[in-house]
Each structure stands twice: as C-alpha cells, then as structure tokens.
Amino acid sequence: MFILGLSGMIKLRAYQNRLVNDILSNMLRYKHIAAWASQGSGKSIVIGYMALGAMKKKNKVLILTHRQEILMQNMSKMESFGLNVQAITAKTKSIDLDVDCYCAMSQTIASRIKKHQSWRDWLFSIPFVIIDECHINNHNVVLDATNPNSYRVGLSASMLRSGGSQAQLANYYDTIVKGDSTKELIDLGFLTPSRNFAFQAPKMDNVRISYSTGDYSQTQMQKVFRKKERYSGILENYNKLTPNTKAIVFTTGSEHCVDITKMFNEAGIKAKYLLSNKMPETDEEFSGEREQLLKDFADNKFKVLVNISILDTGFDEPSIETV
C-alpha cells in the first residue's frame, strides 16, 4: 500500500489516529474514501499526516479546497511539517514539477484543465488526492478529470449534499468512515462546550426553497431578516449575554451585512464586514482587503466580523468567543 510508512514527525491524538487507521484499512478494498470528522477535530493535521506518509513513499499529493482562507491554512500547516509545497491559486500560471505537495483551489484547476492539456496531464499523473470540505460541489470538475485508479480521500464535517440538481457524494466515493463526534471530543476535553441562546425567529412560511441548493432563497430570506427590530435585538442580546467578546456574525445578504456592521459601530463596538462583492459607499470605512481584514481580526484590531457565508466552512480562528 503506497501510503503506509507514515512519519512520526506529526503526533496524532488518539481519535485522529483511529480515523487515519480506519482510512488506511479501507484502502485495502477501496480507492476513493470519504471520512467524516467533526468540526474542530483537526482535519488539517490528519491531512498533513496522510500527505507526509504518501510523500515518504515518493508519491506526489494534491490537496484540494474551495476557499482561499482554507487553502492558506492548509498551506501553512503543510509547511510547518517541513513539506515542500506549491499553492495553486488564480495567480498561479505554471506547475512546479519539483515539489511533492500541491495545495490548490479547485476552481483554479478546473479553469486550467479546461484550457491546457499540460494541466490535464499533470492532474491525471497525481496518485493521491485529498479533498478538504469534500461535500462542496466545486471539486466535481477536478475529480472527474483525475485518474480513476488514483487514491482519493475526502474529509468533511458535513457529509451531505442537498439540492436536486447536485451530483451526490456516492458519485465520487466508494465508502465512508466516521471519526469521533463533537460530543465525544467535548467529553475527551478537546473541544469547548458551547452556551446556546435562541430567540424568536421570523416566520419562513412564504420563503421559497431553491431546488438547486435545497436551502431557502437568499434574496427572499434577506427581506425577512433585514428589519430594524431584529438588528436592535442582536445588539441588545450581545451586550446582555456576551458583552465585549470577540464575535463573528452571519447575515443573509450584502445589505444586511452592511447594516449590522454600521449598527455595532454606532454603538461603540468596532466592527468590519467581509463580502465577496464591492460596496463602494461603505467598503473604505467598514471593510478592506480580505487577507488584511482577517489578519486585523486575528490581531484583535476590531471586535466583530460580519459576513454572509464566506467564513462558514473550515475557517480557523480560535480566538472567536461568540457566534
């Protein structure tokens, strides 16, 4: 088996070791394995461990993700393990054939293989592909172009695709293995238990369900949630229940995002928003370049970070206290 002979350089926790062993034992029968691992269980450590083991056997490894933030987190982790890594993003024009590990945006590779035979040949030559957040359908085009005889491991804490038009995970994986649950990791002392508060939500009876995603229509949902009384309730309960804590806020749309950010600032609580689209009237005061904004948040230069869904999957910022 090509992945055996893993280095002792990375020390796994017992539950991570169990998951890796389950993956390896299943590789005796299957080439394409999905692995469920709960949020906060350290999937990047498991990914690095498997990547290092494969490279010890002289096998090149491709690690796929769908978000810039997750790519940089994976890249940083792989480099900390002493791996020679190339990041493949929208700015990458050529492949460094001398490196052993590639951390790539699936969207970038999908674009390159559509236009260039050299990229298709390179992708087909990779013997081991690891997919972070494998439930995201951005990876489909890349996986369709990999060598069907290559090994594939997809990890996610959300092992489900909803929506009638999406290709399901069974199209890409032969079996699934299960890591320890969130409750088990809390009981073991590796995760912090949360205190949860729920408030009266608006009625969603008339909000349409999108067939393509299986979720509520984003546009209609924003109309329901974008109301001043809801904003004041957010601020009131933040001050009452979690005052002065570092918080991340999720909203339903761009205007909603800007409104919430303004509200916190008007109350004397420094907040910034992160959006994929430009909001020229407010970006300069309340937003900024993504990488710098996340660095400033990590460095505690502002208290509250507001976004729609950019930071909902795989985002790693341990200093956050309130969601």
Side-chain angles (χ1 to χ4, degrees):
M1 258 269 298
F2 84 97
I3 198 173
L4 294 179
L6 296 175
S7 169
M9 177 181 173
I10 304 171
K11 186 171 177 58
L12 297 180
R13 293 171 175 171
Y15 68 86
Q16 293 170 333
N17 195 56
R18 286 196 293 273
L19 180 61
V20 170
N21 285 338
D22 281 349
I23 292 170
L24 294 179
S25 62
N26 273 275
M27 278 186 171
L28 297 172
R29 292 184 60 197
Y30 305 106
K31 293 207 167 188
H32 303 155
I33 298 168
W36 179 88
S38 63
Q39 290 176 316
S41 62
K43 288 188 284 294
S44 60
I45 300 292
V46 171
I47 288 170
Y49 192 79
M50 291 190 296
L52 186 58
M55 286 185 291
K56 289 286 184 183
K57 292 290 187 179
K58 307 297 182 186
N59 291 286
K60 289 183 181 286
V61 181
L62 171 63
I63 300 170
L64 295 173
T65 187
H66 72 297
R67 287 266 169 84
Q68 182 77 15
E69 290 75 29
I70 307 174
L71 182 144
M72 298 316 295
Q73 287 169 187
N74 285 338
M75 183 86 179
S76 175
K77 194 72 70 177
M78 299 311 118
E79 288 178 336
S80 73
F81 297 152
L83 304 180
N84 186 17
V85 190
Q86 180 185 19
I88 299 177
T89 68
K91 297 178 181 178
T92 307
K93 302 304 178 187
S94 60
I95 306 157
D96 184 352
L97 298 177
D98 292 328
V99 305
D100 299 312
C101 182
Y102 304 90
C103 287
M105 295 277 286
S106 282
Q107 297 93 316
T108 300
I109 295 184
S111 174
R112 298 291 185 273
I113 62 176
K114 185 178 179 180
K115 301 173 183 177
H116 304 288
Q117 183 63 45
S118 60
W119 280 79
R120 291 193 290 273
D121 293 342
W122 163 78
L123 178 61
F124 202 80
S125 74
I126 300 292
F128 187 34
V129 181
I130 303 174
I131 305 94
D132 197 359
E133 309 300 345
C134 68
H135 64 284
I136 303 293
N137 62 12
N138 296 78
H139 306 303
N140 294 0
V141 172
V142 180
L143 296 182
D144 286 338
T146 58
N147 187 331
N149 291 316
S150 65
Y151 285 88
R152 176 186 305 165
V153 175
L155 294 101
S156 175
S158 310
M159 201 62 72
L160 175 68
R161 286 181 176 177
S162 55
S165 63
Q166 293 196 43
Q168 295 303 306
L169 288 164
N171 294 20
Y172 298 99
Y173 300 95
D174 304 319
T175 189
I176 183 170
V177 298
K178 181 181 178 296
D180 286 34
S181 69
T182 299
K183 183 181 185 306
E184 288 168 328
L185 296 184
I186 290 173
D187 292 342
L188 289 168
F190 290 115
L191 292 181
T192 303
S194 60
R195 295 170 62 217
N196 304 295
F197 304 91
F199 305 98
Q200 185 63 47
K203 290 186 177 181
M204 305 288 281
D205 300 355
N206 297 320
V207 178
R208 182 175 58 83
I209 300 292
S210 168
Y211 175 76
S212 62
T213 65
D215 205 343
Y216 289 112
S217 161
Q218 192 85 26
T219 305
Q220 291 187 17
M221 192 162 60
Q222 180 168 216
K223 290 179 182 177
V224 173
F225 276 86
R226 197 185 174 200
K227 295 178 180 177
K228 293 298 180 186
E229 61 268 25
R230 296 204 62 76
Y231 295 177
S232 61
I234 291 168
L235 183 61
E236 177 188 349
N237 285 297
Y238 171 84
N239 285 326
K240 177 183 175 182
L241 299 168
T242 60
N244 205 39
T245 56
K246 187 169 183 176
I248 186 167
V249 179
F250 295 95
T251 69
T252 59
S254 301
E255 293 84 3
H256 190 187
C257 212
V258 174
D259 290 346
I260 292 286
T261 305
K262 284 182 176 178
M263 178 194 68
F264 272 101
N265 281 283
E266 288 166 0
I269 302 164
K270 193 169 183 181
K272 299 273 189 178
Y273 66 77
L274 178 60
L275 291 171
S276 55
N277 57 305
K278 299 289 185 185
M279 304 292 281
E281 293 183 3
T282 53
D283 279 357
E284 185 175 351
E285 184 176 1
F286 297 116
S287 189
E289 191 275 323
R290 180 183 292 197
E291 190 172 335
Q292 186 62 49
L293 198 69
L294 294 176
K295 183 179 185 304
D296 288 347
F297 186 54
D299 293 340
N300 298 310
K301 291 185 178 179
F302 60 95
K303 209 73 179 176
V304 178
L305 178 57
V306 188
N307 76 117
I308 304 173
S309 58
I310 294 174
L311 304 174
D312 61 351
T313 306
F315 178 57
D316 186 10
E317 182 48 66
S319 63
I320 292 171
E321 299 166 286
T322 300
V323 181

